[in-house]
Amino acid sequence: MGTSTTEASQYALGARRVVQLDGSRLVRVGARPTLGQYIKQLWKFRHFLYYDSRSRVSAQNNYDTLGRVWMVFNPILLGLAFFTVFGLILESSRGIANFLGYLVIGIFMFRFFTSAITGAANSIAGNQSVVQAFNFPRAALPLSAAVRELFASVPVFVVMALLAYFLGGYQVTPDEENAYPVELTWHWLLFFPAVFLALLTMAGIGLILARLVNHWNDTKHLITFGTRVLMYTSCVFFSIERYDKVPLIKTIVENNPLYCVLDIIRHAWLYDGFADPQRWITLTIWAFGSLIIGFIIFWAGEESYGKER
């Protein structure tokens, strides 16, 4: 009996002991990681970016009879409409060599640029259930949206190249003397670095807009308005010479990333040469500057994504 009493006393004393735990490695659930940790986490999700982009592209337009063919038809139909209105009726083609190719590149690249930015901007607000259910770096969603648009545009780029090559030298306008054959040279390869820099630019802008749309849903309407302004400040269907009388607007247009992309590709494909080196410098600054700034801005709001608004 005495032994039992002693063991019971020791047990009671042991139950009162305070166990100290090392909580230095514990973090609050949902807490924002450091910028370095965030980049490492995002790198681990690189395979998700690829497969998510590919799978969503495959699923696009599945319910349409023509399926993904509409991805090519839409810009072609839009180009025909712009050619009729601005090329033939308003004669905005005056003074533009190889206007058909000029317009094709403008329309196709404009859709690629704006679709990627819009998709990235809506990636968080449009996937709230995923954001709330899973723990992953949220930047994966807008980046995946930009990459997805690149994959989806591959057949579009092929059609754009064919149209620019076969139709670029035809001038169905009063300025027939400005038309000359388009030649296939190594300059066409400049398309790839131009699109790569454009993709970085779209990803950076998309990251910033994704946070804004998540915080204030009405931003989506401003984005729609912004894309319209972008069309008229990128010389999609008319020459930059139209702004010669307004130097300030011309300077803004020349520093517009989309205009830089269009000017680089048009010179490489239609005019067999290099665009002004300033276009490459401006586009490179936009690409890396917007991506770095956009990534930091998006990372700073990591804890706010998925919360009820």
Side-chain angles (χ1 to χ4, degrees), residues 12-259:
L13 291 173
R16 297 192 187 97
R17 290 177 183 173
V18 177
V19 179
Q20 294 184 349
L21 298 176
D22 181 12
S24 60
R25 297 184 179 181
L26 298 178
V27 295
R28 177 170 51 83
V29 175
R32 183 186 66 196
T34 64
L35 185 59
Q37 292 173 339
Y38 194 70
I39 295 175
K40 291 180 180 179
Q41 292 177 6
L42 190 59
W43 175 251
K44 293 179 180 179
F45 274 80
R46 63 189 184 278
H47 301 296
F48 165 81
L49 295 178
Y50 175 78
Y51 288 107
D52 178 69
S53 301
R54 289 293 300 273
S55 62
R56 288 178 183 264
V57 168
S58 300
Q60 284 183 351
N61 300 315
N62 279 346
Y63 296 101
D64 295 329
T65 303
L66 297 179
R68 294 175 63 182
V69 176
W70 281 110
M71 297 171 60
V72 177
F73 275 179
N74 281 329
I76 290 178
L77 294 175
L78 186 62
L80 289 174
F82 275 93
F83 173 72
T84 302
V85 175
F86 294 97
L88 298 180
I89 299 177
L90 299 181
E91 296 186 353
S92 64
S93 61
R94 289 186 177 275
I96 300 178
N98 295 8
F99 179 69
L100 281 177
Y102 186 96
L103 181 63
V104 165
I105 293 174
I107 294 295
F108 277 61
M109 291 304 299
F110 171 77
R111 283 185 60 86
F112 167 61
F113 200 89
T114 55
S115 296
I117 290 179
T118 303
N122 296 325
S123 60
I124 298 296
N127 292 279
Q128 286 294 304
S129 58
V130 176
V131 174
Q132 294 172 354
F134 300 99
N135 182 25
F136 64 98
R138 310 307 192 221
L141 290 178
L143 293 179
S144 175
V147 174
R148 178 170 68 249
E149 191 60 35
L150 176 64
F151 288 157
S153 298
V154 170
V156 177
F157 292 152
V158 173
V159 174
M160 180 179 73
L162 293 174
L163 291 176
Y165 180 75
F166 289 106
L167 300 179
Y170 290 91
Q171 196 78 2
V172 193
T173 69
D175 297 322
E176 292 290 342
E177 67 275 7
N178 286 334
Y180 48 87
V182 174
E183 297 182 0
L184 189 64
T185 66
W186 70 269
H187 293 137
W188 282 58
L189 297 177
L190 294 175
F191 169 82
F192 296 101
V195 168
F196 174 72
L197 292 176
L199 181 65
L200 297 183
T201 303
M202 295 181 295
I205 297 175
L207 285 167
I208 297 174
L209 294 177
R211 181 176 179 183
L212 292 177
V213 172
N214 178 75
H215 178 71
W216 188 42
N217 196 65
D218 291 355
T219 305
K220 293 189 296 185
H221 303 288
L222 297 179
I223 294 175
T224 302
F225 171 76
T227 57
R228 297 294 179 271
V229 175
L230 184 65
M231 175 182 290
Y232 293 100
T233 56
S234 302
C235 297
V236 173
F237 47 82
F238 55 81
S239 173
I240 194 172
E241 278 71 25
R242 289 183 175 265
Y243 293 121
D244 284 343
K245 296 182 180 179
V246 190
L248 177 60
I249 296 181
K250 186 174 183 180
T251 301
I252 293 175
V253 173
E254 290 176 335
N255 289 280
N256 175 347
L258 178 56
Y259 171 74

